[in-house]
Each structure stands twice: as structure tokens, then as C-alpha cells.
Amino acid sequence: MTPPASSTALPDLDRAGLRVVAFGGLGEIGRNMTVLEYRGRLLVIDCGVLFPEEHQPGIDVILPDFTWIRDRLDRVAAIVLTHGHEDHIGGVPYLLRERPSIPVVGSRLTLAFVKAKLEEFRIRPNTIEVEAGRRIDLDTFDCEFVAVNHSIPDGLAVAVRTDAGMLLHTGDFKMDQFPLDGRITDLRAFARLGEEGVALFLTDSTNAEVPGFTTSERELTPAIETVFRTAPKRIIVSSFASHVHRIQQVLDAAQASGRKVAFVGRSMVRNMGIARDLGYLTIPDGLVVDLKQLDRLPDRRVTLICTGSQGEPMAALARMANRDHMVRVGEGDTVLLASSLIPGNESAIYRLINGLSRLGANVVHTGNAKVHVSGHASAGELVYCYNIVKPANVMPVHGEWRHLQANAALAERTGVPHDRILVGEDGMVVDLVAGRASIVGKVPAQHIYVDGQTVGGATEASLADRRTLAQEGAVTVVGIVELRTGRLAEDLDFIVHGFTQDPSDFHDVTPAVRTTLRKAGPLTQEDAEGIVRDTVSRWINKRFRRTPLVIPVVVEE
Ligand SMILES: [Zn+2]
């Protein structure tokens, strides 16, 4: 959890300086957003969401804090998207809602995914499609795009040339040398930019702790084929709705084993339609059918592909595990979780695996078969990059603290001086002036919670209340008080929720409340409620060793 960021006054930016503000993705996996400022203009690189954890009940997604940029929206030249993952594009609708005309720049697939998302918000974005190798001016920003390989096709790194030096941002990437689409991370471009001089290198830290090299996607093929060869009944595959290549492997295995496939779930159906239409996914004729048509086929000819591999409670797979979905998982079915275990989701995923196992399914996952590889560069790949790029300054991005520190240590081992490696958390502001980068301050970078239709309504305090409610229950205390004198007119009334004591057990607290109110009078209603809450909370804590949420209701006599 990000501590509330106290912002500091920022120094004036040098006229020829480049300012880098990290709004997300530092100290957390998700809501990646970096803003560059150069000659009075701003460039947003990615604008993603963070998914809530179990200690954030009722929250749909978490956005970057737009406080700082909100006053400067007219200066935003463009939003550059490195790739189409939710933690890089999920916040775009919320930013565009504030100024819809900001151009959105990205590769073909990335823009297609973001446009589909924006349609749901009824926003028609102004887009600029770019491809690897392209160099364009976005206002004051001279941008060049470089192909990178990741767990979604069409990823781009971005280089920005300024008078302060060149910035190179990898986006999310890995260096699979045999990717399914043959599009490798363009190290030759990295080397060329390195020769020219990279002043500030922002690199993906997600897998910096993992030694060696990330295994090629191709090496998963045998394990996936084995599942398809040996599964006696239906196969239900769960993956991210954006992992086009993994789904291609599943489609190929299904075709080879004579099975039909149906996509289940809105985002999966939508994204695979987009990927097919744009030529990123090849679907043999007749392979993919409607979910309803699968009913007529024997189980051993059925494959379902759905989302929910992270245990998200509303996704198709969790609902299947809870018997709350039209697809009934049963004895002999095989469930293939072809995805990672994202930090924070562990318990939800194991609950899902247990739920499916209980129904009789054989669950194949990354813990018992080689059915997943990461989309991020491991330590070995990062070291190669440092040695090829030879950056003057490094800023590890995309990771929790341990990932950022591990990445910093790798940079240092390749010879980047310790004081040229900038590790910090969300809100960090870095100025690059004449080739030298330094941390100059901090802007607000709180978690902004999206809760149903409201953005920013739920706060850290309301989440703390929700946790207390869930864990300790609640006690509502009703008192009739003469505010002028602080006299309690009747005994307190108690209504108890999710707390094991009987309301009558609480009557012993009344004398203490009566005395405290009397001493404090005259009172406002707020004062009286505060006294009731504090006195009752302390008393319950002492008597029962519990801390339920105490809700005071004071009625004036
Ligand atoms: Zn990604």
C-alpha cells in the first residue's frame, strides 16, 4: 500500500531540462504511469490501473492520482502507450474523461484494445498509430519507437531525445529469442541508441529478482499438447484476455486434437475478435464455435477459453468453481491455468484451484506443469540490456520495492555508478539536466479507488472501516442526549452485527458514557457522537478484546 504522499514544492525546471514524474508502478505492480515535462509541455507514458487486493474490499480498480496533471491538462501533448495490458491502458478512459482531445499514441493492437475499452465509456479518442522504427515529433517531444517482445503482441519501447539527453523507456519487455510471431526485442536499436547516448534508462523491474533468462513461449508447447492429448473430458483454459500468443498455442493444440473451442466472457470474446481481425491471431475455419454449439459435442471434443486465472471473483472461472455459471465443471474435466501468479493474488488463486478440484476437475497450473512463462525480462536479460545501452543514469520502474532494488543492483554491477541509479516510490520527481539525473521532489500519488460508479469516493479511511466490519463486525449505539447539558436521557440502545455478544451484554457501558457526556456538556451532536464512539470502543476492547466498528447515533432530546 502506498503511504499518502506528501507533495513537496518542486524547484523550477531548467530551461533545457527534462522532468520525469512517476505516478505509478513504483513500489507496486500496476497502474503504470510516467509523465515527462520538457519545454513547458507534458508527455504521458502509459496510464494503467492497479487491481485491488483482499484488504481493499469492494474496490474495482485503483487509478493513478491525477491531482498534479489535472491543472496542466492543456499542456499534455499526447498519451503514449507502450502496450495493451490493463496496467498500462486501464486508466486512459479516466484521464481522457478530463480532456478527451488528448492524442493517444500506440501500436496497432494497443490502439485497438484501448479503443474498445473507450467505447464502453463513450469516448472516441484521437489516435496516432505508430510502428517500431518510427520517429515522430509529439509537440516538443522527439519520439522514436522500438519493438519489444512481451506477453502481448505489438509492444513498444520509446526513446525521447531532448537537449538534456535521451530518455529510453523499455515499457514491459522480455527477450524471447524465438517468439511465436518472430518479433524480438530490437537489441540492434537499443545498441544504436546506446551509441548515440542514453542519458536516462527506465527499465522493467518485474523479474529482476529472477536469475537467468525467461524461458521461450515455445517451450510451453509440449506441456500444452500433453494436456490436450490426455484430457479425458472437457478442457477449460484460463488466461489473460490479452495473451494472444498463449491463446494461439491453445487453439493450435485444440485443432490438432480434434476439439472445438468457444471463448467465454466479454473481454475474452472481444479481444480475440480484435486480434483475429487485425491478423495477430490465426483461427482455422470451423475451430471456434458458439458456447451453445458445444452442448451438442461429446465432452472430449470441447475446449473453453475464459478469463479469471487470477481468481477474480466475478470472472467466469471463479463463478464456475462456485457453481454460479452455466458451464458446470465436473468429474474428469481438466482446467488449465495458463497464466502467472501475480503477487497479491496467491490466496484467491489457491482458493480457485481448490474449488475446481473439489468439483472433480484436474487442475493443471504453473505449480505442477510447465504451462506458463513470464512476460518479463529476468536478471540475465536486464544485464544484457545495461551492457548494450550503457546508460548514464538508470531509473528502475514497474515493480515492488524488492524488484526495484534488485534491478538497481543489476545496473550497478554493469558499472552504472550507485548515485546515478534512482530508486524511489510513486510520486517521485526526477530532473535530467545536462545528462545528469537527480531526484528533486515529490507530487501527490495516492491510490484513487474506483468503487462502482464513483471515482475517488472511497478513501483509505473507508477501506479501514470495511476491513473492520468484515473482521470484527459492527455495533450501532443509539443515545438520546440533551446537548445543552450533556445529559443522557435514556439508557443506550445497541444493535449488533457480526459480533458474537448479545446486545444486553453492553448495558454495563452506559454509566461510563453518561458520566463522560455530562462532564463534557454543552455539546454539539458531533462531540456527543465522538464521546459515545470512543467510550464504547474502549470499553468493548477491554471487556471482550475485540475492536468492532462502533457507529454512534445521537438523537437530540
Ligand atoms: Zn505488460
Side-chain angles (χ1 to χ4, degrees):
M1 196 167 68
T2 320
S6 54
S7 53
T8 49
L10 296 176
D12 285 340
L13 175 61
D14 189 277
R15 241 200 78 67
L18 171 70
R19 178 160 286 173
V20 181
V21 188
F23 284 94
L26 299 189
E28 62 196 358
I29 302 274
R31 63 163 197 163
N32 298 292
M33 177 171 170
T34 309
V35 176
L36 310 186
E37 179 176 358
Y38 182 60
R39 297 201 187 280
R41 306 296 289 173
L42 303 172
L43 186 73
V44 178
I45 301 179
D46 290 332
C47 184
V49 293
L50 174 69
F51 290 100
E53 296 184 19
E54 287 185 350
H55 66 271
Q56 293 157 328
I59 299 302
D60 301 323
V61 292
I62 302 165
L63 296 175
D65 188 337
F66 296 148
T67 309
W68 185 84
I69 205 166
R70 191 166 282 128
D71 301 331
R72 300 164 171 82
L73 283 170
D74 54 325
R75 288 161 52 192
V76 177
I79 303 171
V80 168
L81 300 174
T82 58
H83 64 285
H85 277 152
E86 283 299 307
D87 56 340
H88 292 256
I89 68 169
V92 172
Y94 299 92
L95 187 55
L96 283 190
R97 219 150 63 169
E98 311 221 1
R99 198 194 126 202
S101 60
I102 302 173
V104 181
V105 184
S107 66
R108 199 154 163 239
L109 186 67
T110 306
L111 289 183
F113 280 171
V114 84
K115 272 190 223 161
K117 169 178 288 300
L118 286 165
E119 229 164 71
E120 291 171 16
F121 287 75
R122 298 206 178 83
I123 298 173
R124 267 164 176 262
N126 165 14
T127 58
I128 301 171
E129 188 180 310
V130 290
E131 66 280 347
R134 177 93 178 274
R135 183 170 170 178
I136 58 167
D137 284 328
L138 296 166
D139 209 321
T140 58
F141 299 93
D142 172 1
C143 298
E144 179 177 338
F145 298 93
V146 179
V148 291
N149 165 246
H150 183 38
S151 47
I152 185 170
D154 232 3
L156 293 170
V158 56
V160 182
R161 290 175 173 87
T162 72
D163 287 344
M166 190 199 303
L167 172 143
L168 176 58
H169 190 322
T170 63
D172 280 351
F173 83 112
K174 60 176 173 176
M175 281 162 45
D176 190 342
Q177 296 301 296
F178 303 102
L180 293 175
D181 61 357
R183 184 178 179 273
I184 59 175
T185 293
D186 189 354
L187 291 180
R188 299 174 69 205
F190 275 21
R192 173 172 52 75
L193 297 171
E195 279 298 316
E196 191 180 326
V198 170
L200 182 57
F201 192 30
L202 280 67
T203 48
D204 176 9
S205 309
T206 312
N207 269 1
E209 284 185 315
V210 180
F213 293 77
T214 303
T215 312
S216 173
E217 294 277 342
R218 266 181 218 276
E219 292 192 27
L220 304 181
T221 307
I224 293 172
E225 283 176 351
T226 302
V227 169
F228 275 82
R229 215 172 35 243
T230 57
K233 289 193 175 175
R234 293 181 302 183
I235 300 176
I236 298 161
V237 180
S238 185
S239 182
F240 288 117
S242 56
H243 206 322
V244 177
H245 291 159
R246 188 68 47 77
I247 288 159
Q248 182 73 62
Q249 284 175 303
V250 170
L251 292 178
D252 293 346
Q255 173 80 352
S257 62
R259 287 176 181 260
K260 298 281 183 199
V261 176
F263 292 119
V264 183
R266 201 164 49 106
S267 57
M268 186 61 84
V269 171
R270 185 189 72 189
N271 284 3
M272 291 309 120
I274 291 170
R276 182 202 54 218
D277 293 347
L278 297 181
Y280 293 91
L281 188 71
T282 310
I283 305 182
D285 282 344
L287 176 66
V288 171
V289 298
D290 236 38
L291 187 54
K292 287 191 198 77
Q293 290 172 266
L294 286 184
D295 282 346
R296 292 196 286 271
L297 291 170
D299 281 351
R300 64 186 160 71
R301 294 202 54 208
V302 169
T303 312
L304 298 160
I305 301 181
C306 62
T307 55
S309 60
Q310 296 302 306
E312 307 93 312
M314 296 313 289
L317 196 59
R319 286 171 39 222
M320 287 178 204
N322 291 328
R323 306 234 115 192
D324 176 28
H325 195 274
M326 59 181 292
V327 176
R328 293 273 164 174
V329 175
E331 198 68 41
D333 286 338
T334 301
V335 177
L336 173 59
L337 298 181
S339 59
S340 59
L341 226 162
I342 292 182
N345 298 345
E346 293 89 346
S347 61
I349 294 173
Y350 287 120
R351 197 160 48 237
L352 177 71
I353 293 174
N354 281 320
L356 293 164
S357 305
R358 186 161 169 258
L359 297 174
N362 171 31
V363 186
V364 181
H365 54 93
T366 175
N368 61 18
K370 205 168 174 182
V371 289
H372 172 72
V373 293
S374 169
H376 302 270
S378 299
E381 288 144 273
L382 292 171
V383 168
Y384 262 92
C385 281
Y386 288 127
N387 282 331
I388 288 168
V389 173
K390 284 280 166 220
N393 304 270
V394 168
M395 183 173 152
V397 293
H398 307 171
E400 298 178 359
W401 269 101
R402 60 196 170 100
H403 308 120
L404 302 175
Q405 294 288 14
N407 197 359
L410 295 173
E412 197 168 348
R413 278 182 66 194
T414 66
V416 182
H418 185 79
D419 62 340
R420 299 292 185 101
I421 303 169
L422 310 168
V423 180
E425 58 190 349
D426 290 342
M428 176 167 82
V429 181
V430 167
D431 280 2
L432 178 71
V433 179
R436 176 79 200 235
S438 44
I439 299 173
V440 296
K442 199 165 184 186
V443 298
Q446 302 224 43
H447 279 170
I448 304 300
Y449 297 107
V450 179
D451 178 352
Q453 293 300 307
T454 72
V455 178
T459 59
E460 293 294 345
S462 55
L463 286 189
D465 282 354
R466 286 180 192 182
R467 284 192 290 274
T468 306
L469 260 175
Q471 288 156 12
E472 303 273 350
V475 177
T476 304
V477 190
V478 184
I480 300 171
V481 180
E482 190 182 61
L483 293 175
R484 191 171 47 82
T485 59
R487 184 179 63 86
L488 186 63
E490 286 177 28
D491 279 357
L492 296 169
D493 254 335
F494 297 90
I495 305 157
V496 177
H497 305 277
F499 190 69
T500 41
Q501 305 303 323
D502 191 81
S504 64
D505 293 341
F506 293 94
H507 287 303
D508 288 354
V509 74
T510 301
V513 173
R514 175 170 286 129
T515 311
T516 321
L517 283 172
R518 189 56 157 216
K519 275 191 200 152
L523 299 158
T524 64
Q525 175 149 348
E526 227 174 15
D527 295 337
E529 287 181 342
I531 288 171
V532 171
R533 182 178 49 237
D534 294 348
T535 313
V536 173
S537 298
R538 260 199 310 274
W539 182 85
I540 292 176
N541 182 259
K542 223 167 138 193
R543 173 72 68 95
F544 303 112
R545 297 270 162 237
R546 311 301 303 167
T547 51
L549 189 67
V550 174
I551 305 162
V553 179
V554 166
V555 182
E556 189 177 359
E557 195 200 32

